[in-house]
Amino acid sequence: MTVDCVWSLGATLGEGPLWVPDDAALWFVDIKQHHIHRFDPASGSRGRWQAPDQVGWVQPTADGRWLAGLKSGLHWFDPAASTFTPWLDPEPDKPDNRLNDSVVDPQGRLWFGTMDDHEEAPSGRVYSLADGPHAVPTDSTCRITNGPAVSPDGRFLYPVDTLDRKIWRHEIGADGALARGELLIEIEDGAGHPDGATCDSAGNIWIGLFGGWGARCYAPDGTLLHHIDFPVSNVTKIALGGPDLKTAYATTAAKGLSEDELARQPLAGGLFAFTVEIPGVPANPVRIGI
């Protein structure tokens, strides 16, 4: 698989890539620069919005709006007006935490994680947006939450514990409750840290490797299927998009690299793309809890 840089934007912490079929474009963020980006591969057009704070993700809703996960909580994001309206802070008692990554399951339920912005305290949790404007946390905590990914049938949730290099599997009940998790994948020492996760239409799990110079694809049972080498060290997350959902887009980060490392990685923080054999799953809009 040949990896190409399609946008050398030098993101400090590129994250949250999401292919939006109705828009035929990839949306993603640069958390540390407070930017939301839009990339249209057909026309080559590129858009950027300035968020009022660190922004971890954006998600479309079933009623045509957008939600954005900022350090201060969930905001309504209006791309046309470039405005952000605060709506819900899931952790008003944790001012050092920020929202980090998200996914929407087939039922339209939003799952998102929080983490200590200093990457030290085990204060991160995974939340689901339940019926009504309140967030319901799961039981797990860690220093950096990532993903979660959700299986295409909506049966399993895969939260990522980045610093402990572990990917967990929880069964999702009909009411949205999570069963006790089991360890599915543990990244070996020296291979980097698992970052954002996403699932393809066969249920395989794609993981970006921060500090690992690549991305991996694992089968639903945790068997390693593919390792894709990158010309940059910090690969943060994969999104499967394009007209046939067979273009893998990857966000990357320049965060933490020294001047010498940046000189050796001139494309660090760029947006990359490569072609896969198994397509992704169309993104689900948020339906529950809004």
Side-chain angles (χ1 to χ4, degrees):
M1 300 180 187
T2 302
V3 175
D4 297 309
C5 184
V6 296
W7 186 355
S8 180
L9 71 160
T12 303
L13 186 53
E15 259 290 5
L18 177 72
W19 179 261
V20 181
D22 290 345
D23 191 40
L26 185 84
W27 291 74
F28 64 102
V29 303
D30 182 342
I31 296 174
K32 295 301 180 181
Q33 294 191 38
H34 307 180
H35 290 160
I36 295 173
H37 295 284
R38 178 185 179 273
F39 174 64
D40 182 342
S43 67
S45 67
R46 303 166 179 180
R48 189 183 78 182
W49 291 261
Q50 183 74 42
D53 203 340
Q54 295 182 77
V55 54
W57 49 264
V58 293
Q59 294 282 358
T61 67
D63 57 7
R65 296 180 292 170
W66 289 84
L67 274 175
L70 275 66
K71 185 177 187 297
S72 54
L74 278 68
H75 286 57
W76 292 109
F77 166 51
D78 184 343
S82 299
T83 58
F84 295 81
T85 304
W87 178 51
L88 169 67
D89 184 356
E91 296 180 337
D93 59 330
K94 297 179 181 178
D96 290 333
N97 270 15
R98 65 172 174 84
L99 275 63
N100 192 44
D101 203 356
S102 69
V103 71
V104 181
D105 67 23
Q107 288 71 39
R109 186 183 297 108
L110 172 69
W111 301 87
F112 60 94
T114 63
M115 60 171 281
D116 175 27
D117 197 29
H118 304 293
E119 303 179 7
E120 296 174 353
S123 57
R125 302 193 74 147
V126 177
Y127 288 79
S128 64
L129 189 65
D131 288 309
H134 61 278
V136 179
T138 67
D139 292 332
S140 57
T141 61
C142 63
R143 286 171 290 171
I144 300 179
T145 62
N146 254 301
V150 65
S151 61
D153 60 3
R155 182 182 174 187
F156 294 109
L157 191 79
Y158 302 103
V160 179
D161 185 335
T162 293
L163 291 186
D164 282 352
R165 303 195 305 272
K166 295 176 179 178
I167 298 127
W168 297 84
R169 177 172 61 192
H170 296 260
E171 189 165 6
I172 305 173
D175 60 353
L178 294 184
R180 185 176 180 85
E182 59 179 335
L183 180 61
L184 180 66
I185 299 164
E186 186 166 8
I187 304 299
E188 70 273 18
D189 190 22
H193 290 82
D195 206 307
T198 193
C199 287
D200 64 23
S201 57
N204 302 315
I205 306 158
W206 284 91
I207 299 284
L209 295 174
F210 198 98
W213 294 87
R216 288 181 176 179
C217 180
Y218 289 88
D221 65 359
T223 302
L224 178 61
L225 300 177
H226 306 290
H227 179 98
I228 313 300
D229 292 320
F230 275 68
V232 296
S233 59
N234 299 332
V235 182
T236 54
K237 189 171 183 178
I238 304 292
L240 301 173
D244 58 1
L245 300 178
K246 289 187 175 181
T247 300
Y249 291 99
T251 48
T252 66
K255 179 179 180 288
L257 299 179
S258 67
E259 290 187 7
D260 287 344
E261 289 170 324
L262 288 171
R264 293 194 296 269
Q265 301 178 44
L267 298 178
L271 177 68
F272 292 81
F274 58 96
T275 302
V276 298
E277 294 181 356
I278 299 175
V281 180
N284 302 296
V286 182
R287 297 180 182 275
I288 295 175
I290 58 172

